[in-house]
Amino acid sequence: MTTRERVYLYDTTLRDGAQTTGVDFSLEDKRLIAGLLDKLGIDYVEGGYPGANPLDTEFFAARRTERAKFAAFGMTKRAGRSVANDPGVAALLEAKADTICFVAKSWDYQVTVALETSLEENLAGIRESVAAAKAAGREVMLDCEHFFDGYKANRDYALACAKAAYEAGARWVVLCDTNGGTLPEEVAAIVADVARHVPGDHLGIHAHDDTGCAVANSLAAVKAGARQVQGTLNGLGERCGNANLVSLIPTLKLKDGFADRFEIGVDEEALAGITQLSRALDEILNRAPNRHAPYVGASAFATKAGIHASAVLKDPRTYEHVAPESVGNVRQVLVSDQAGRSNLLAGLERVGLHVDRADPRISRLLEAVKEKEAQGYAYEGADASFFLLAKRVLGEVPEFFMVERFSVNVERRYNAIGELVTVAEAIVKVKVGDEILISAAEGNGPVNALDLALRKDLGKYQRFIEGLELVDYKVRIFQGGSDAVTRVLIESGDETGERWCTVGVSANIIDASFQALTDSVVYKLVRSGAGRE
Amino acid sequence: MTTRERVYLYDTTLRDGAQTTGVDFSLEDKRLIAGLLDKLGIDYVEGGYPGANPLDTEFFAARRTERAKFAAFGMTKRAGRSVANDPGVAALLEAKADTICFVAKSWDYQVTVALETSLEENLAGIRESVAAAKAAGREVMLDCEHFFDGYKANRDYALACAKAAYEAGARWVVLCDTNGGTLPEEVAAIVADVARHVPGDHLGIHAHDDTGCAVANSLAAVKAGARQVQGTLNGLGERCGNANLVSLIPTLKLKDGFADRFEIGVDEEALAGITQLSRALDEILNRAPNRHAPYVGASAFATKAGIHASAVLKDPRTYEHVAPESVGNVRQVLVSDQAGRSNLLAGLERVGLHVDRADPRISRLLEAVKEKEAQGYAYEGADASFFLLAKRVLGEVPEFFMVERFSVNVERRYNAIGELVTVAEAIVKVKVGDEILISAAEGNGPVNALDLALRKDLGKYQRFIEGLELVDYKVRIFQGGSDAVTRVLIESGDETGERWCTVGVSANIIDASFQALTDSVVYKLVRSGAGRE
C-alpha cells in the first residue's frame, strides 16, 4: 500500500476574502468563520492582517482556532528600517498566532517601481523578517507576491526571493499568482522548476480566478510538487476571487489522481458537511448562494426534464460524477412524480416530520407543493413555511388566529414645519378565539409597520411571541413586467437564538410580505407549544 | 512569421444553455441572442433541438444567422429504425440549418443500460445518421456523449464511436465531458490519444464545470490538438454550467501560448464589446450579473483600498493581467478622488453629456455622486437617474412638477360575497405650474397603483408621457435586518421602443419606488423636449 503524501490547506477567507466587493467581516463574523474552518479540518486559518486595522489587531488578541494553525499575515520589513524597528513586524510578533505569513515582492519591476527600493534590499528584508519571526518561536511562511509574473520577467530574481525565505528557515514558500493571469500549463512548468530549488514539500500555491483557472492552477501546482494550497471558502476574494476551497476539497478527496496520491486534513464526515458550510458562509455574509457552484450548488446535481432524467433514475452513476451525499448535497430530478415523492420525503425528514412512506397523505402534500410552486412559491430556503404546509396537509395545525382585515398606508407629505416626511402605518384586525383585536403600528416602511401591528396583540397567545423578531427580508420579482410575481422571504429569530425562514408570493408585495409574516408567527406558536394547552 | 492555426468556437447557449435552472428562452430571446453571437464572430450557433419542442422547431423554420453557421442538434437514429424512418433525424433534415450536430452515446455502459441496445447497433446508428445528413448536403458533426467516462471504461469502444463518425464524413467529432467530472490532466492525455485516431483539426471539446475546471479543460484540449471549443455565454448550462465562452475568448485572444499560436473568428473590436454582450445576455434573461466573472465582471478590475491602490495608479500593468479596455471593461480603483473623477467623466460621456474636464461643476457632481452612493444609490445600471443627477448639478433640469403628497393604501379584507381580496390604491397630488392636480388609481400592488396615479394627469405635460410604461421592477435589500435599505431599479419604455433605468433608495420600499418612478417620468419629459416650449 502506497503512502499518500500530505497536502496542507490554507484558508485566507478572513484576509484575502475580506477584499471582496461588498464584504465586511465583523469580529463576530470572523470568530464564527474561524470556527467553521477549524471544524472542517483546514490546516491553517489566516485570520487577517494585525496592525493594518483595529478589528484585525483585536482578532489576534487571542488564538481563535483549536486544531488549525492560526496564521497572521503582514509585510516583510520596510526598506530603511531594521526588523526590530518595523511596526508591521512588531504587530505580527505581538499577535497570538502560531504562524506568521509574510508577504514580499518577488517581481523585480514591482520592487523598483512600486516599492522604490533595491533588489538586494528586498531580499535582505525577506531574510531578516523570516529570521526574526523564527527566532521568536513562530512557524514562518513567505507569500511571494506576483511570483509567476516575476518569474516570467526575471526568473533568477524570483527564485532568489523564494530561496532567501527557505534558507532563512521558512516552513512554506508560497507562489502567488497575484494578478490571476497565469494559465495552468505555465503554473505546472514554473512550479516544477521552482521545486528543483525549494523542496516541493515546502512549496505552496496561491491562485486567483481572473481567467477562470484558479482551481485548475491549484491542482496543476500540486501535481507539479507543491504541497500547500491557499484559497478561500466559496471563492471569495477581490476581483474574480481566490481559488475556491469548496471546489478543491471534494476533488482532492474523491477524484482519481488526487484521492489516491494525497491526504488532506478534511475527513469524510467533514466533507459531507461542506454543502452546509458553504451555505452557512453565504448566510453570515448575506450573499446570494451560487446555485451553480461545483459540488455544493443547489443545481449541482439537478437534472431538468428531457433525455437525462429517466436515465439518472435508472442508475445515477451514469450522470453524476460523484455521489451528491458525499458532499452533503442532494440529487434533484425535476421531472417525474416518483422523484418528486423522494424529494418530498427527504424534505419532511429535514424539517423533522417523520411520515411513513406509504402514508396516503403524501400524495396530497405533493400535489399541494406542486400547486404552490407553480404559483411561484419556493420552499428551498423557507423550511418553516414548508413545515407548516406539511403540517396543515397532515391536519395538525391549530387555527391560532384569523386575520379579518389589514390595511397599510404609506404617505409622503409635508409636515407642520415644511419638511418632506414619509410615514407608514398599518392596522391589523385579528380574531383570537372569541376575541376581536385590532392593533395599529407605525414603521419605517410598510412591511415593518405591518409586522409590528400583527405582533402587537394576539390575545392569549401574545406571551408566546414576545421574543419574535424579523431578522432579514428578501424580495425577488420574477416574470418581470406587468405579470410580475413577487416572492418575499423572511428570516425570523427568537429569544432562543433559533432562526427560521418563511415565504410569501403574490402580485402584491404587501400581500406576499404578509403571508411570510403570518407563517412566521404561526411557526413560532407551533414551536412554542402554544396550541397544546 | 508563423501561421496560426484556426480554432473554431461553437456556442450552445440556445441549446445546452436552455437547460439552466430558471432559464427559458422565448423565440424572440433566441433571435436576439443568435444575432449577438453572430456579431461576436462565433463560428457555429447551435440554435436548439428541432423536433424536441415546438419552439425549437419554429426557430429552425429559417436560418437565424448571417455569418455564423447555424447548427441543429439532435439524436442519432433510434435502434430498430432505419434512418429514413426516424422522426428525430427527419426533423433535423427539415431544419433550415447549415450544420447538423448529432449526439450519440460513446460509453458502453450507457449504450447497454440507458439505451438498452447493442454496441454494434449504436455504431451503426452513428454511421448511418452521419451519412444521411451528409448525403442531404449538410455539414455534419457528432457530439460523443460521456466520451471521457466512456474512454476510461472502455477505450476501444469510445474510440470506435469517434472513428465511426469521422469515417462516415463528419466534419467534427466532439468529445463531451457530459458529467463534468474529468480533470484537466486527464483531458489533455485523452485528447492527445484520440488525436492519433481522428485528426486534431476534426476534434472538438465540450466541457462542463462540475469541478470548476471547464475553462481549463477546454484550454487543455486545444493544447492537446482539438480545434473546436464548445461552450455557452456566461457559462450557462444545467448543473454547474458549460465552459464559459466569455472567459475563454479573451484568453484565446490575449494570452501567450494561445494568441500567438491560434486564430479565432472574434476580432479585436468584437472582443472590446464582450463585457457589454455578457451584460446584455443577463438583461435579456433577467439574471443578476456575476460581478466576479473573469474579464467582464464589474469587479474584475476593481481594487479595494489598501496596499494595491496606489501601485495600480502608478502603473496598471503591475496589477492587471490584461488591459480592461481590451474586453470593454473598466478599471475601478475604489479609493482616490483622482480615479473617481475619471470614472465620472467616462460616465458622463456614456450618457451623452459632454462636459469639459476642467469644468468646476465636475467636483460638485463627484461629491453628489459619492454622497448618494454612501446612502446606497448605485448608478451602474441606472443611467437615466445618473443623467438627471448630472443635469441637475449642471443646473439644466426644469422643474416640471412638484409632488405635494402621495398616499398608498393596501388593504386585505373580506368583500361583500365573503371572498378575501387585497386592494391597492394610491393618491398623488402634484403641482404643475400653477395647477394643483390630484389623481387616484387602483393597481395590482402598491407600486403599480402609485405609478398609475402619478402618470394619470400631469396637466400640460400629460401628452409627453402618454407612451410611458413600466417594463421591469427590481428590488434589492441590503444591510439586512433593522437597518435595511431598499434599492429599487425600474426599467421604463416608451412608444419609440427606447428603454431606460432609474433608481430609488430608502428604508421604505414605497418611497424608494416612488423616487425611481418620478425620475423615470422626468427623464421622459426631458427627452421629449417638454421643458423647451
Side-chain angles (χ1 to χ4, degrees):
Chain A
M1 188 183 119
T2 353
T3 318
R4 295 185 299 165
E5 288 182 68
R6 187 72 161 74
V7 167
Y8 295 82
L9 299 177
Y10 186 106
D11 181 280
T12 180
T13 300
L14 301 179
R15 199 271 309 166
D16 223 351
Q19 302 279 75
T20 314
T21 322
V23 163
D24 286 290
F25 295 119
S26 66
L27 202 68
E28 185 53 33
D29 290 336
K30 286 206 166 196
R31 263 195 282 252
L32 259 169
I33 294 166
L36 292 175
L37 290 164
D38 212 359
K39 234 180 61 156
L40 177 61
I42 293 293
D43 300 292
Y44 293 86
V45 173
E46 191 174 71
Y49 192 158
N53 65 75
L55 193 144
D56 278 13
T57 306
E58 170 71 33
F59 193 57
F60 280 96
R63 184 173 184 262
R64 306 293 183 174
T65 55
E66 287 179 22
R67 294 195 296 166
K69 288 191 174 153
F70 192 45
F73 170 94
M75 297 194 334
T76 48
K77 81 163 185 70
R78 243 155 263 190
R81 284 181 169 271
S82 71
V83 160
N85 275 333
D86 186 287
V89 177
L92 283 168
L93 292 174
E94 249 183 71
K96 299 277 181 289
D98 307 298
T99 305
I100 289 178
C101 182
F102 286 109
V103 62
K105 307 290 182 200
S106 54
W107 181 1
D108 61 355
Y109 182 75
Q110 286 269 351
V111 173
T112 50
V113 172
L115 286 185
E116 291 173 347
T117 185
S118 76
L119 301 186
E120 190 43 53
E121 180 65 49
N122 187 50
L123 286 172
I126 291 171
R127 279 183 218 111
E128 289 168 42
S129 306
V130 171
K134 251 202 107 71
R138 307 294 200 286
E139 184 186 62
V140 193
M141 352 186 334
L142 182 75
D143 275 0
C144 296
E145 214 192 5
H146 297 285
F147 186 84
F148 296 89
D149 291 316
Y151 177 101
K152 290 176 188 176
N154 184 338
R155 174 180 173 275
D156 289 345
Y157 188 68
L159 283 174
C161 293
K163 289 197 318 204
Y166 175 63
E167 284 156 9
R171 170 66 186 86
W172 294 102
V173 175
V174 184
L175 313 180
C176 303
D177 186 26
T178 309
N179 291 356
T182 315
L183 297 173
E185 243 193 23
E186 299 173 316
V187 168
I190 291 169
V191 170
D193 184 28
V194 179
R196 286 188 275 272
H197 297 87
V198 174
D201 63 6
H202 279 64
L203 280 183
I205 176 72
H206 175 111
H208 279 272
D209 210 33
D210 298 74
T211 65
C213 292
V215 165
N217 282 348
S218 305
L219 296 173
V222 169
K223 282 283 173 92
R227 294 290 172 264
Q228 188 198 96
V229 175
Q230 294 204 356
T232 57
L233 295 178
N234 295 352
L236 283 177
E238 68 178 326
R239 303 191 315 269
C240 308
N242 289 57
N244 187 347
L245 288 178
V246 173
S247 302
L248 280 163
I249 288 167
T251 289
L252 292 170
K253 289 286 293 174
L254 302 171
K255 294 287 188 180
D256 286 343
F258 290 98
D260 44 321
R261 287 188 52 191
F262 305 107
E263 191 181 350
I264 62 175
V266 177
D267 63 25
E268 269 168 35
E269 194 188 327
L271 181 67
I274 206 168
T275 296
Q276 175 75 2
L277 171 70
S278 169
R279 293 178 193 176
L281 182 68
D282 283 328
E283 277 305 303
I284 291 170
L285 298 179
N286 199 19
R287 279 165 80 80
N290 174 10
R291 62 174 312 131
H292 302 287
Y295 295 112
V296 303
S299 290
F301 296 93
T303 319
K304 231 164 146 175
I307 46 178
H308 296 178
S310 55
V312 177
L313 294 170
K314 272 188 210 173
D315 184 353
R317 284 187 310 130
T318 57
Y319 276 92
E320 287 170 358
H321 73 114
V322 298
E325 312 79 57
S326 60
V327 291
N329 206 341
V330 290
R331 172 179 310 123
Q332 284 193 1
V333 180
L334 310 167
V335 194
S336 69
D337 272 10
Q338 183 63 34
R341 213 177 164 84
S342 308
N343 280 345
L344 186 69
L345 286 161
L348 289 169
E349 284 298 316
R350 196 179 64 242
V351 298
L353 290 172
H354 307 292
V355 184
D356 189 82
R357 281 194 80 90
D359 192 318
R361 291 173 297 177
I362 297 284
S363 299
R364 266 179 36 221
L365 179 55
L366 190 60
E367 277 311 304
V369 169
K370 283 185 172 178
E371 208 185 295
K372 288 281 195 183
E373 286 184 340
Q375 292 167 33
Y377 287 81
Y379 290 102
E380 185 182 297
D383 268 359
S385 285
F386 174 68
F387 174 88
L388 290 177
L389 178 69
K391 284 209 86 140
R392 283 183 181 119
V393 169
L394 300 171
E396 293 162 24
V397 179
E399 186 169 86
F400 297 106
F401 59 91
M402 205 183 76
V403 176
E404 303 242 313
R405 186 170 81 83
F406 75 69
S407 174
V408 179
N409 197 73
V410 175
E411 184 168 337
R412 186 203 282 182
R413 58 171 189 269
Y414 287 96
N415 67 7
I417 48 176
E419 294 168 323
L420 196 62
V421 294
T422 303
V423 294
E425 67 182 36
I427 297 173
V428 176
K429 182 175 169 188
V430 291
K431 195 170 180 206
V432 183
D434 290 322
E435 265 195 293
I436 303 269
L437 301 149
I438 179 162
S439 310
E442 282 184 326
N444 58 23
V447 175
N448 179 229
L450 205 50
D451 175 42
L452 295 171
L454 174 64
R455 294 191 283 113
K456 203 164 184 180
D457 187 1
L458 281 180
K460 58 177 173 171
Y461 296 120
Q462 188 59 22
R463 70 185 197 278
F464 293 100
I465 63 166
E466 285 299 338
L468 177 56
E469 59 167 352
L470 189 154
V471 169
D472 204 0
Y473 175 82
K474 292 179 189 152
V475 180
R476 208 141 287 171
I477 296 168
F478 46 97
Q479 286 155 222
S482 50
D483 290 327
V485 171
T486 306
R487 184 196 297 146
V488 168
L489 270 159
I490 279 177
E491 186 180 2
S492 310
D494 70 7
E495 66 283 3
T496 71
E498 192 183 318
R499 299 277 184 97
W500 61 92
C501 293
T502 50
V503 64
V505 170
S506 171
N508 184 319
I509 197 174
I510 302 299
D511 220 17
S513 305
F514 192 75
Q515 288 173 37
L517 287 171
T518 327
D519 260 10
S520 174
V521 171
V522 174
Y523 181 79
K524 171 71 171 142
L525 289 172
V526 169
R527 271 191 60 249
S528 309
R532 296 199 288 267
E533 74 315 303
Chain B
M1 189 185 116
T2 353
T3 318
R4 295 183 299 165
E5 286 181 71
R6 188 69 161 76
V7 167
Y8 295 81
L9 300 177
Y10 186 105
D11 181 280
T12 180
T13 301
L14 301 179
R15 199 272 308 167
D16 223 352
Q19 301 279 76
T20 313
T21 321
V23 162
D24 286 289
F25 296 118
S26 66
L27 202 68
E28 185 53 32
D29 290 336
K30 285 206 168 194
R31 262 195 282 251
L32 260 169
I33 294 166
L36 292 175
L37 290 164
D38 212 359
K39 233 179 60 153
L40 177 62
I42 293 292
D43 300 292
Y44 293 86
V45 173
E46 190 173 71
Y49 192 158
N53 65 77
L55 193 144
D56 277 14
T57 307
E58 170 70 31
F59 193 58
F60 280 95
R63 184 174 184 259
R64 305 293 183 175
T65 55
E66 288 180 20
R67 292 195 297 164
K69 288 193 175 152
F70 192 44
F73 170 93
M75 297 192 335
T76 47
K77 79 164 185 70
R78 242 156 263 189
R81 284 181 171 272
S82 70
V83 159
N85 274 334
D86 187 286
V89 176
L92 283 168
L93 292 175
E94 249 181 71
K96 298 277 181 289
D98 307 299
T99 305
I100 289 179
C101 182
F102 286 110
V103 62
K105 307 290 183 199
S106 54
W107 181 0
D108 60 355
Y109 183 77
Q110 286 270 350
V111 173
T112 49
V113 172
L115 286 186
E116 292 172 346
T117 185
S118 76
L119 300 186
E120 189 43 52
E121 180 65 47
N122 187 52
L123 286 172
I126 291 172
R127 278 184 219 111
E128 288 166 43
S129 307
V130 171
K134 248 197 109 72
R138 307 291 201 286
E139 184 185 62
V140 193
M141 359 187 326
L142 181 76
D143 275 0
C144 296
E145 215 191 4
H146 297 283
F147 186 84
F148 295 89
D149 292 316
Y151 178 101
K152 289 177 189 175
N154 184 337
R155 174 181 173 274
D156 288 345
Y157 189 67
L159 283 174
C161 293
K163 291 199 318 205
Y166 175 64
E167 284 156 8
R171 171 63 187 88
W172 293 104
V173 175
V174 183
L175 313 179
C176 302
D177 185 25
T178 308
N179 291 356
T182 315
L183 297 173
E185 243 194 21
E186 299 173 315
V187 168
I190 293 169
V191 171
D193 184 28
V194 179
R196 287 189 274 273
H197 298 87
V198 174
D201 62 5
H202 279 64
L203 280 183
I205 177 71
H206 174 112
H208 279 272
D209 210 33
D210 298 74
T211 64
C213 293
V215 166
N217 283 348
S218 306
L219 295 174
V222 168
K223 282 284 173 91
R227 292 292 171 263
Q228 189 197 97
V229 175
Q230 295 205 355
T232 57
L233 294 178
N234 295 353
L236 284 177
E238 68 178 328
R239 301 192 315 271
C240 308
N242 288 58
N244 186 346
L245 288 179
V246 173
S247 302
L248 280 163
I249 289 166
T251 289
L252 293 170
K253 289 286 293 175
L254 301 170
K255 294 288 188 180
D256 286 343
F258 291 98
D260 44 322
R261 287 188 52 192
F262 306 108
E263 190 180 350
I264 62 175
V266 177
D267 62 25
E268 269 167 37
E269 195 189 328
L271 180 67
I274 207 169
T275 296
Q276 173 75 2
L277 171 71
S278 169
R279 292 178 193 175
L281 181 67
D282 284 327
E283 277 305 302
I284 291 170
L285 298 179
N286 200 20
R287 281 166 78 81
N290 174 10
R291 60 175 313 131
H292 302 286
Y295 295 113
V296 303
S299 290
F301 296 94
T303 321
K304 231 164 147 175
I307 46 179
H308 297 176
S310 53
V312 176
L313 294 171
K314 270 189 209 171
D315 183 354
R317 286 186 309 131
T318 58
Y319 276 94
E320 288 170 358
H321 73 112
V322 298
E325 312 79 58
S326 61
V327 292
N329 206 341
V330 288
R331 173 178 310 122
Q332 283 193 1
V333 180
L334 311 166
V335 193
S336 69
D337 274 8
Q338 181 65 34
R341 214 176 163 85
S342 308
N343 280 345
L344 186 70
L345 286 161
L348 288 169
E349 283 298 315
R350 194 179 65 243
V351 298
L353 291 173
H354 307 291
V355 185
D356 189 81
R357 282 193 79 88
D359 192 318
R361 293 173 296 178
I362 297 283
S363 299
R364 267 179 34 221
L365 179 54
L366 190 60
E367 277 312 302
V369 169
K370 283 185 173 176
E371 209 186 294
K372 289 282 196 181
E373 286 183 341
Q375 292 167 30
Y377 287 81
Y379 290 103
E380 184 179 300
D383 267 359
S385 285
F386 174 68
F387 174 88
L388 290 177
L389 178 70
K391 283 211 86 137
R392 283 186 180 115
V393 168
L394 299 172
E396 291 163 25
V397 178
E399 187 169 86
F400 297 106
F401 60 91
M402 206 184 77
V403 176
E404 304 241 314
R405 185 171 84 82
F406 74 69
S407 172
V408 178
N409 196 73
V410 175
E411 185 169 337
R412 187 203 281 183
R413 59 170 189 269
Y414 287 97
N415 67 8
I417 49 176
E419 294 168 322
L420 196 61
V421 294
T422 304
V423 294
E425 67 183 34
I427 297 174
V428 177
K429 183 175 170 189
V430 292
K431 195 169 180 206
V432 183
D434 291 322
E435 265 197 292
I436 303 270
L437 300 149
I438 179 161
S439 308
E442 281 184 329
N444 58 24
V447 174
N448 179 229
L450 204 50
D451 176 40
L452 295 171
L454 173 64
R455 294 191 285 112
K456 203 164 184 181
D457 186 1
L458 281 180
K460 58 178 172 170
Y461 295 121
Q462 188 60 22
R463 71 185 196 278
F464 293 99
I465 64 165
E466 287 298 337
L468 178 56
E469 58 166 356
L470 191 153
V471 168
D472 204 1
Y473 175 82
K474 291 177 190 153
V475 180
R476 208 141 288 170
I477 296 169
F478 45 97
Q479 284 156 227
S482 50
D483 291 326
V485 171
T486 306
R487 182 195 297 145
V488 168
L489 271 160
I490 281 179
E491 186 180 2
S492 309
D494 70 6
E495 67 282 3
T496 70
E498 194 185 313
R499 299 276 183 96
W500 62 91
C501 293
T502 50
V503 64
V505 170
S506 171
N508 184 320
I509 196 174
I510 303 299
D511 221 17
S513 305
F514 193 74
Q515 288 174 36
L517 287 171
T518 326
D519 260 11
S520 174
V521 171
V522 175
Y523 181 79
K524 173 69 170 141
L525 289 173
V526 169
R527 271 192 60 250
S528 309
R532 295 198 289 267
E533 78 306 306

